[in-house]
């Protein structure tokens, strides 16, 4: 039986590729599901349509009108939620709670931007502050305005968040008045394609406002023009290729990169084994290692603990992780599903064996039983905890600070004192998030500020917040996502800050009579 070939949506119409399609697989059962192919698409023409039709129609609306479109999209996605869960189960091999992070996380993010947009002026541009006087008596002034960029937003996304990865970018772009072309990672493109299809079929957005290209990325960057923006999420290696493309180097296409990150969690020195802080740390490290089988850019990869607590933490983590049932997410006892593909499983095994050359294995995920699935077929691996025994070993070892294993793998690392612990965190060379667990508010605040320059987000957990915090790895639309250095140097979300990327800031200089008219436009 031939598989359905998912059409692309570009230039305001559905088009199938004309080349050899690529199949998408169920990572638990190994069965082929659907196919994608972008061969033969006229990308330049499709991008022109998005800019000219989609962009113009979106910019003709005000922020509040576009916020209403987002509210309608959130409602529509909610209506089709069950179908998205089925696709996620089949194509990503995730348990329901993990699919929720991707699907419900996306709906929540779109809904949040709909609400934020309703608080914006009913206008077509944003003014920044008050005019600054450039001459005597304020007769000549400078007013900074932000107008939506005049091009399109191209999103090249990673495989691990086919739903949230689309909407955390598309919500602020569409609210800004910028048309979107999304190219999902091939392995999990189905869910992205289905969501775009539902929104297109519902006729919520103007023609050209939302397009999807599934399959090869060939030619996408060649079709970019100077006023477009590019947002990439994926590996540092691909990011480097994109950064060197002429669209970026010669046309100055504004680019946002979200890449690898060796995120950390740190248990403060005043913790005692078994106290509330200790328990919160154990719970969160175990959760971060296993949610989405560790395929989260924000997952904890390095867990720093006071040297005196190393054995207690190792024991508690081992006990907790050993209880995680791994296997077919269709079985209701299973808590952790599969990695996304055989290729990803091999990459994780390869990265793991590199790390194992430098560390001790405290819990071996290869030994975990795989429930209700054929281990030769299913892309499953149990949680794997590595460790180094002494602070000196942590300081002498580069691998744990350098190698991102994108799976259920973390390293437990002892530190001698807090300054040295914080210095080891900095060896990650810039991360998306660090979390700190303690009970001394002043010491926690100092640690948070010390970590801030190297991170996009610092997540501080105290006994008072242990039951209500949003999670080390959960990206909330109100908070900034992105990190410096190795994490890509990007910034996303953070409430209305996200709109900056999709706007051009301009200083308009004139007398007050003209500037007043601008405010009335
Ligand atoms: P990847 O291999 O770099 O792929 C990412 C995207 O880039 C995919 O859509 C891929 O398409 C596309 N691509 C590959 N080569 C390209 C090229 N030469 N030109 C243009 N596009 C190209 O990354 P991945 O394996 O999907 O994702 C895992 C990585 O993403 C991890 O390292 C993780 O840390 C990172 N990540 C970061 C964040 C964050 O927010 N910082 C979030 C999630 C993941 P194909 O799939 O068709 O190859």
């Amino acid at each position: 039986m031939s598989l359905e070939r998912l059409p692309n949506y570009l230039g305001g119409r559905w088009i199938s590729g004309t080349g050899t399609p690529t199949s998408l697989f169920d990572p638990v059962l190994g069965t082929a599901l659907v196919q994608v192919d972008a061969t033969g698409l006229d990308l330049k023409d499709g991008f022109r349509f998005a800019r000219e039709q989609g962009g113009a129609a979106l910019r003709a609306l005000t922020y509040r009108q576009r916020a209403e479109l987002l509210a309608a999209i959130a409602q529509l996605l909610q209506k089709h939620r069950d179908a998205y869960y089925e696709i996620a189960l089949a194509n990503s091999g995730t348990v329901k709670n993990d699919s929720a992070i991707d699907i419900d996380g996306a709906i929540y993010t779109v809904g949040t931007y709909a609400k934020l947009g309703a608080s914006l002026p009913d206008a077509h541009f944003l003014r920044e502050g008050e005019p600054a006087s450039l001459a005597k008596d304020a007769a000549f002034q400078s007013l900074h305005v932000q107008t939506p960029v005049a091009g399109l937003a191209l999103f090249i996304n990673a495989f691990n968040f086919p739903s949230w990865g689309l909407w955390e970018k598309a919500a602020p772009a569409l609210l800004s008045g910028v048309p979107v072309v999304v190219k999902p990672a091939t392995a999990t493109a189905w869910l992205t394609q289905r969501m775009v299809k539902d929104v297109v079929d519902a006729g919520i957005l103007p023609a050209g406002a939302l397009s999807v290209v599934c399959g090869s990325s060939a030619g996408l960057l060649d079709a970019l023009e100077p006023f477009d923006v590019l947002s990439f999420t994926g590996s540092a290696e691909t990011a480097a290729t994109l950064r060197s493309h002429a669209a970026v180097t010669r046309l100055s296409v504004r680019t946002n990169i979200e890449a690898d990150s060796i995120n950390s969690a740190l248990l403060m020195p005043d913790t005692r084994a078994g106290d509330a802080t200790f328990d919160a740390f154990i719970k969160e490290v175990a959760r971060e290692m296993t949610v989405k089988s560790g395929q989260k850019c924000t997952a904890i990869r390095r867990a720093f603990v006071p040297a005196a607590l190393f054995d207690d933490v190792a024991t508690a983590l081992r006990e907790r992780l050993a209880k995680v049932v791994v296997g077919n997410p269709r079985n209701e006892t299973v808590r952790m599903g599969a990695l996304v593909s055989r290729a990803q499983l091999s990459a994780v095994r390869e990265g793991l064996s590199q790390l194992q050359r430098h560390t001790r294995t405290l819990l071996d995920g290869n030994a975990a039983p795989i429930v209700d699935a054929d281990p030769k077929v299913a892309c499953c691996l149990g949680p794997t905890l590595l460790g180094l025994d002494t602070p000196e070993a942590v300081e002498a070892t580069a691998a744990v600070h350098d190698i991102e294993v994108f799976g259920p793998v973390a390293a437990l690392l002892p530190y001698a004192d807090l300054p040295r612990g914080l210095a080891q965190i900095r060896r990650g060379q810039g991360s998306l998030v660090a979390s700190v667990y303690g009970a001394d508010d002043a010491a926690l605040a100092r640690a948070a500020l010390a970590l801030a320059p190297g991170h996009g987000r610092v997540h501080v957990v105290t006994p008072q917040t242990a039951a209500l915090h949003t999670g080390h790895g959960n990206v909330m639309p109100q908070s900034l996502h992105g990190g410096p250095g190795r994490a890509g140097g990007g910034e996303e979300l953070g409430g209305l800050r996200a709109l900056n990327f999709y706007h051009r800031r301009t200083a308009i200089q004139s007398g007050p009579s003209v500037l007043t008219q601008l405010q009335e436009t």
Side-chain angles (χ1 to χ4, degrees):
M1 195 183 73
S2 72
L3 293 173
E4 181 192 355
R5 192 186 291 210
L6 302 177
N8 306 282
Y9 188 70
L10 191 68
R13 61 200 178 92
W14 292 102
I15 328 161
S16 289
T18 53
T20 308
T22 305
S23 295
L24 276 54
F25 289 90
D26 182 318
V28 177
L29 306 177
T31 44
L33 301 165
V34 289
Q35 295 183 320
V36 295
D37 177 25
T39 316
L41 299 190
D42 189 339
L43 296 173
K44 289 204 165 153
D45 195 53
F47 280 24
R48 190 176 321 119
F49 183 86
R51 281 183 210 105
E52 292 178 3
Q53 304 283 321
L58 284 172
R59 287 195 299 272
L61 304 173
T62 64
Y63 291 95
R64 286 198 203 153
Q65 288 170 324
R66 292 192 293 261
E68 283 167 19
L69 299 183
L70 291 186
I73 292 174
Q75 244 178 29
L76 179 88
L77 297 178
Q78 185 70 32
K79 195 173 106 191
H80 294 289
R81 205 168 148 261
D82 290 351
Y84 305 149
Y85 271 80
E86 274 174 36
I87 294 176
L89 174 66
N91 193 195
S92 292
T94 38
V95 294
K96 205 162 181 193
N97 282 348
D98 290 355
S99 303
I101 299 172
D102 191 27
I103 295 164
D104 294 342
I107 298 172
Y108 175 69
T109 301
V110 177
T112 301
Y113 275 96
K115 285 195 193 114
L116 288 170
S119 72
L120 287 172
D122 208 20
H124 297 93
F125 72 95
L126 299 171
R127 42 174 280 153
E128 264 193 5
E130 294 304 313
S133 180
L134 303 178
K136 248 188 181 174
D137 303 330
F140 194 72
Q141 302 177 331
S142 169
L143 174 69
H144 287 83
V145 298
Q146 293 218 52
T147 52
V149 297
L152 58 77
L154 172 63
F155 302 154
I156 299 183
N157 282 353
F159 68 78
N160 56 340
F161 282 106
S163 163
W164 178 83
L166 163 62
W167 293 110
E168 59 108 11
K169 295 173 202 271
L174 294 169
L175 181 58
S176 299
V178 179
V180 166
V181 178
V182 60
K183 184 265 182 272
T186 297
T188 56
W190 191 9
L191 182 51
T192 309
Q193 196 269 1
R194 172 63 67 86
M195 288 180 147
V196 172
K197 183 173 182 327
D198 288 343
V199 173
V200 168
D201 288 352
I204 295 172
L205 293 171
L210 182 62
S211 309
V212 62
V213 175
C214 301
S216 162
S217 56
L220 285 173
L221 268 75
D222 301 328
L224 290 177
E225 292 187 355
F227 298 153
D228 296 334
V229 299
L230 168 66
S231 187
F232 170 77
T233 300
S235 63
E237 223 175 305
T238 311
T241 310
L242 301 192
R243 276 201 170 101
S244 61
H245 190 278
V248 180
T249 58
R250 302 184 78 88
L251 302 182
S252 305
V253 165
R254 186 184 286 171
T255 303
N256 191 79
I257 307 259
E258 302 291 344
D260 318 5
S261 180
I262 319 282
N263 311 292
S264 310
L266 181 135
L267 188 61
M268 289 291 273
D270 57 340
T271 312
R272 292 182 198 289
D275 71 12
T277 302
F278 182 94
D279 290 348
F281 179 84
I282 298 297
K283 193 171 160 196
E284 195 60 8
V285 173
R287 199 163 75 94
E288 280 295 311
M289 286 177 67
T290 51
V291 167
K292 284 181 76 67
S293 302
Q295 299 170 110
K296 238 158 79 269
C297 53
T298 49
I300 295 169
R301 307 291 177 202
R302 296 176 294 161
F304 289 92
V305 296
L309 283 181
F310 182 86
D311 289 340
D312 292 310
V313 173
T315 304
L317 274 178
R318 251 196 317 254
E319 276 173 11
R320 197 168 180 107
L321 291 166
K323 288 189 198 138
V324 175
V325 180
V326 185
N328 188 340
R330 293 162 187 88
N331 182 310
E332 62 186 28
T333 64
V334 167
R335 290 288 165 269
M336 187 168 97
L339 294 162
V340 77
S341 62
R342 294 306 292 183
Q344 200 52 30
L345 180 63
S346 306
V348 165
R349 288 212 166 113
E350 162 59 27
L352 184 53
S353 69
Q354 277 186 49
L355 277 184
Q356 281 171 321
R357 273 178 232 138
H358 305 273
T359 55
R360 192 152 68 83
T361 300
L362 303 174
L363 179 70
D364 184 3
N366 284 303
I370 307 298
V371 172
D372 218 0
D374 179 352
K376 288 194 285 302
V377 175
C379 308
C380 292
L381 176 72
T384 300
L385 185 65
L386 308 174
L388 286 167
D389 290 321
T390 63
E392 292 69 31
V394 176
E395 289 169 18
T397 308
V400 289
H401 309 288
D402 281 351
I403 299 171
E404 184 201 44
V405 179
F406 208 60
V409 178
L412 183 60
L413 307 171
Y415 66 83
D417 55 47
L418 188 56
R420 283 168 73 184
L422 296 174
Q424 293 310 304
I425 288 183
R426 282 191 279 275
R427 290 180 72 192
Q429 297 182 53
S431 300
L432 295 170
V433 52
S435 53
V436 191
Y437 304 74
D440 177 341
D441 293 345
L444 285 166
R446 280 194 301 275
L449 280 180
L451 291 169
H455 296 85
R457 189 160 57 83
V458 179
H459 185 82
V460 180
V461 179
T462 62
Q464 291 74 33
T465 57
L468 50 86
H469 75 96
T470 48
H472 161 107
N474 276 359
V475 177
M476 304 299 287
Q478 300 84 350
S479 288
L480 189 80
H481 175 58
R486 172 174 182 152
E491 280 196 0
E492 290 179 340
L493 300 172
L496 289 172
R497 290 175 190 85
L499 272 59
N500 287 336
F501 184 67
Y502 302 100
H503 281 77
R504 167 58 52 190
R505 181 180 291 114
T506 307
I508 301 194
Q509 303 182 169
S510 188
S513 58
V514 171
L515 296 186
T516 316
Q517 292 298 315
L518 270 180
Q519 291 160 26
E520 287 165 2
T521 304

